[in-house]
């Protein structure tokens, strides 16, 4: 089954309803289907055959959904990359996946072409020059469930990005499970996409289009909270397709308003959110937040904490990543891949139809990640007393001090609850006595906040061995193109400085 078949019912039932809107431009479901077919025909005219890759290096925009869906409709494999990446980084991805066609903006054509090595032969198309005219409306190409459909490149925070290969089966399972467990999109929804369509927001096009919702695409290069909430009020936005926790923190900075009654769903994930931030968001905006936990290798997702569990919940619930999704299995293992006991921490391992086929062109990494038939996520977690999955941290981020494991998120959650702290990240630094000690980088809300006050706060709220030995005040935390804080960059920077 080609994942595009998921939209057949919406194409019939909502043919004249708005499917995509970007600024003043809009596409009905009928027009979106025609434009996607035209995109597939365009790629085929440049020599693409089923299984060939189409790389999209684009900002959010009007043509993006049709190009994304059109590639899969025609049996090609779409490779969306974040528009904030440097052309050199994109050239490396292109060299890895060998696309037949690259679609980008005019200003990137020459830098990309110059960055590609001689072995990478591809057609470079500027999106401004495409002119996707109507073409004969052929049926979507038949696809086997395990045929690749989307290559999702990881953010590469610890090295070169790897291409998680998602099949038609993976995408169908992820979309169906989203509708079952995370958010039940409806045909009267107006879904705002403020995050890159190359990432989570693009994945959420699938379930929202399957239900006939209108998708409003924002192309703002940065997240402007007041502007976004003005759009919610003016346009009756009912859902944010996907936002990162840093965006929720920014929403708390927006001016108070009482005209957001249309908003019924905010799907967030991609990184952990601190307890005080989500509490403040629920108190201000109401029971509209749906948390997901997953990764590019198992998109949309592994577990979910629904909106109803954000209200009147104890801290244990809000600190969790919710309940394991329908059609997903999770087990926790130790360093020898032995399943741990019910009250122990272990690496989160996943299997089910949402788990990737493997890493593109990287059998060694695939064998390591999928050993024993389970995706080894690299995240450490446990199940709490309510049966919810709690993600403690990345395995490689664990701080080992005096032989004891300290999870950065435990430290961060305490410090983030201080009223003078805006953002915080914890990491380990070499320590001649303990092996490693805890350091924190802090963005202060209160300019008067100092190290002594913060350490005193930690002494009152945190086990002694988990207290930071070093507090570093910074104006902002380094983040990658997806909004994730670069913990490793801070660790490397201050390790080198020492």
């Amino acid at each position: 089954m080609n994942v595009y078949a998921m939209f057949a019912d919406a194409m019939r039932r909502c043919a004249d309803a708005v499917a995509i809107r970007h600024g003043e431009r809009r596409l009905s479901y009928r027009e979106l289907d025609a434009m996607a077919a035209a995109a597939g025909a365009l790629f085929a005219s440049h020599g693409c055959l089923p299984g060939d890759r189409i790389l999209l290096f684009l900002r959010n925009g009007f043509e993006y959904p049709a190009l994304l869906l059109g590639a899969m409709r025609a049996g090609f494999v779409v490779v969306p990359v974040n528009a904030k990446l440097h052309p050199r980084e994109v050239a490396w991805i292109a060299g890895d996946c060998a696309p037949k066609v690259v679609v980008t903006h005019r200003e990137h054509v020459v830098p990309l072409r110059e960055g590609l090595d001689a072995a990478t032969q591809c057609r470079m198309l500027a999106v401004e020059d495409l002119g996707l005219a109507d073409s004969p409306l052929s049926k979507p190409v038949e696809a086997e469930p395990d045929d690749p459909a989307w290559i999702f490149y990881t953010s590469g925070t610890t090295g070169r990005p790897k291409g998680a290969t998602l099949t038609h089966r993976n995408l169908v399972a992820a979309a169906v499970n989203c509708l079952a467990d995370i958010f039940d999109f409806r045909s009267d929804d107006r879904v705002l996409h403020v995050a890159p369509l190359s990432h989570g927001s693009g994945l959420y096009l699938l379930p929202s289009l399957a239900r006939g919702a209108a998708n409003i695409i924002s192309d703002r290069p940065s997240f402007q909270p007041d502007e976004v909430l003005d759009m919610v009020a003016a346009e009756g936005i009912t859902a944010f397709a996907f936002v990162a926790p840093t965006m929720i923190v920014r929403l708390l900075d927006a001016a108070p308003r009482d005209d957001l009654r249309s908003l019924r769903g905010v799907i967030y994930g991609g990184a952990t959110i601190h307890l005080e931030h989500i509490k403040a968001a629920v108190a201000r905006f109401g029971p509209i937040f749906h948390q997901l936990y997953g990764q590019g290798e198992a998109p949309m997702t592994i577990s979910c904490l629904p909106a109803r569990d954000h209200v009147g919940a104890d801290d244990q619930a809000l600190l969790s990543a919710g309940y394991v999704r329908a059609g997903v299995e999770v087990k926790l293992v130790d360093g020898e891949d032995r399943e741990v006991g019910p009250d122990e921490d272990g690496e989160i391992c996943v299997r089910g139809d949402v788990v990737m086929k493997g890493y593109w062109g990287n059998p060694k990494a695939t064998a390591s990640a999928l050993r024993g038939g389970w995706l080894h996520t690299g995240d450490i977690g446990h199940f709490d007393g309510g049966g919810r999955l709690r993600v403690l941290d990345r395995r490689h981020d664990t701080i080992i001090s005096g032989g004891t494991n300290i999870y950065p998120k435990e430290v961060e959650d305490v410090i983030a609850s201080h009223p003078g702290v805006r953002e915080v990240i914890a990491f380990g630094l070499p320590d001649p006595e303990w092996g490693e000690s805890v350091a924190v980088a802090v963005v202060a809300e209160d300019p008067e906040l100092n190290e002594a006050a913060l350490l005193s706060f930690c002494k009152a709220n945190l086990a002694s061995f988990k207290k930071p030995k070093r507090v570093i005040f910074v104006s902002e935390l380094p983040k990658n193109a997806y909004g994730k804080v670069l913990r490793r960059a801070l660790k490397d920077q201050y390790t080198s400085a020492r």
Side-chain angles (χ1 to χ4, degrees):
M1 172 184 171
N2 190 321
V3 63
Y4 195 85
M6 288 189 65
F7 316 127
D9 180 59
M11 299 295 182
R12 289 188 295 263
R13 184 168 41 86
C14 308
D16 297 318
V18 173
I20 303 295
R21 211 204 75 208
H22 174 239
E24 298 303 314
R25 304 173 73 189
R26 61 192 67 213
L27 287 172
S28 69
Y29 273 83
R30 191 194 318 276
E31 292 165 335
L32 173 61
D33 191 27
M35 195 171 182
L42 173 70
F43 299 143
S45 74
H46 287 285
C48 292
L49 300 172
D52 283 340
R53 274 74 63 205
I54 310 294
L55 189 149
L56 305 180
F57 179 38
L58 297 168
R59 298 183 289 273
N60 281 7
F62 183 67
E63 292 85 0
Y64 206 131
L67 293 168
L68 182 81
L69 299 171
M72 294 185 285
R73 188 186 194 282
F76 309 132
V77 184
V78 68
V79 187
V81 297
N82 196 299
K84 294 181 180 179
L85 295 184
H86 190 280
R88 284 196 304 271
E89 297 173 290
V90 181
W92 186 92
I93 291 172
D96 189 60
C97 69
K100 184 67 68 74
V101 170
V102 173
V103 185
T104 188
H105 298 282
R106 283 196 196 111
E107 68 264 27
H108 295 320
V109 170
V110 172
L112 275 180
R113 189 173 283 131
E114 291 175 347
L116 295 174
D117 60 43
T120 304
Q121 299 294 322
C122 61
R123 295 298 301 271
M124 200 81 65
L125 306 178
V127 68
E128 295 88 350
D129 302 329
L130 288 185
L132 293 175
D134 290 342
S135 64
L137 197 59
S138 58
K139 290 184 178 180
V141 168
E142 289 292 328
E144 294 298 320
D146 291 326
D147 286 346
W150 181 318
I151 301 178
F152 190 104
Y153 273 85
T154 60
S155 55
T157 54
T158 58
R160 288 290 195 185
K162 299 187 288 290
T165 303
L166 305 177
T167 65
H168 291 269
R169 185 198 305 274
N170 294 151
L171 295 177
V172 170
V176 169
N177 287 358
C178 167
L179 294 170
D181 290 343
I182 297 181
F183 190 75
D184 185 18
F185 288 102
R186 304 184 311 222
S187 60
D188 60 349
D189 274 322
R190 297 173 64 79
V191 183
L192 180 61
H193 295 264
V194 291
L197 291 170
S198 58
H199 202 53
S201 216
L203 288 165
Y204 278 95
L205 274 173
L206 307 183
S208 59
L209 287 172
R211 285 290 174 83
N215 289 266
I216 292 88
I217 311 298
S218 170
D219 61 2
R220 293 288 290 171
S222 62
F223 187 79
Q224 304 295 328
D226 282 294
E227 200 172 89
V228 167
L229 293 182
D230 285 344
M231 189 179 296
V232 171
E235 309 215 18
I237 299 297
T238 60
F240 288 167
F242 178 83
V243 298
T246 53
M247 294 178 178
I248 294 178
V249 175
R250 297 286 307 281
L251 287 175
L252 293 171
D253 294 335
R257 61 195 72 207
D258 58 5
D259 52 0
L260 306 176
R261 289 180 294 276
S262 63
L263 193 60
R264 71 182 190 93
V266 175
I267 301 168
Y268 71 97
T272 55
I273 188 167
H274 296 305
L275 183 63
E276 295 307 309
H277 291 155
I278 192 58
K279 280 184 171 181
V282 173
R284 178 164 172 185
F285 297 105
I288 61 172
F289 293 92
H290 304 255
Q291 182 200 168
L292 60 88
Y293 160 63
Q295 52 187 207
E297 293 86 344
M300 294 192 331
T301 50
I302 295 166
S303 66
C304 168
L305 187 70
R308 63 179 178 274
D309 284 21
H310 282 70
V311 181
D314 58 20
D315 289 355
Q316 186 180 54
L318 289 175
L319 286 169
S320 79
Y323 305 97
V324 174
R325 294 275 311 286
V328 175
E329 291 181 80
V330 170
K331 69 175 181 178
L332 308 176
V333 301
D334 62 17
E336 303 299 321
D337 273 357
R338 296 173 301 212
E339 199 159 356
V340 302
D343 298 320
E344 297 180 70
D345 300 336
E347 182 178 4
I348 299 169
C349 296
V350 184
R351 70 179 177 187
D353 283 349
V354 296
V355 173
M356 68 171 182
K357 187 174 186 176
Y359 292 116
W360 182 266
N362 197 335
K364 183 177 179 181
T366 297
S368 175
L370 298 179
R371 60 188 182 273
W374 292 79
L375 170 65
H376 289 62
T377 66
D379 291 331
I380 300 297
H382 63 238
F383 286 103
D384 67 20
R388 295 170 293 253
L389 183 64
R390 171 117 185 245
V391 182
L392 298 169
D393 252 303
R394 295 291 293 169
R395 182 180 61 190
H396 299 300
D397 291 334
T398 301
I399 302 164
I400 304 176
S401 183
T404 301
N405 286 356
I406 300 172
Y407 300 114
K409 188 171 184 299
E410 296 177 295
V411 179
E412 293 161 4
D413 280 337
V414 168
I415 294 177
S417 69
H418 190 291
V421 171
R422 178 179 178 82
E423 288 186 287
V424 59
I425 195 79
F427 51 96
L429 289 178
D431 187 294
E433 181 177 1
W434 302 103
E436 280 189 304
S437 59
V438 178
V440 293
V442 174
V443 179
E445 189 80 58
D446 178 3
E448 302 299 317
L449 183 66
N450 58 37
E451 181 175 8
L454 204 55
L455 291 178
S456 176
F457 182 79
C458 289
K459 183 177 181 180
N461 293 280
L462 197 61
S464 180
F465 72 94
K466 297 179 183 179
K467 287 187 303 184
K469 294 284 182 65
R470 186 175 182 193
V471 178
I472 304 157
F473 288 96
V474 296
S475 59
E476 61 180 357
L477 298 177
K479 297 181 176 72
N480 68 9
Y482 300 110
K484 291 184 180 179
V485 177
L486 297 175
R487 190 193 311 270
R488 178 64 55 180
L490 285 166
K491 181 181 176 74
D492 291 346
Q493 176 185 346
Y494 290 102
T495 296
S496 175
R498 285 165 70 92

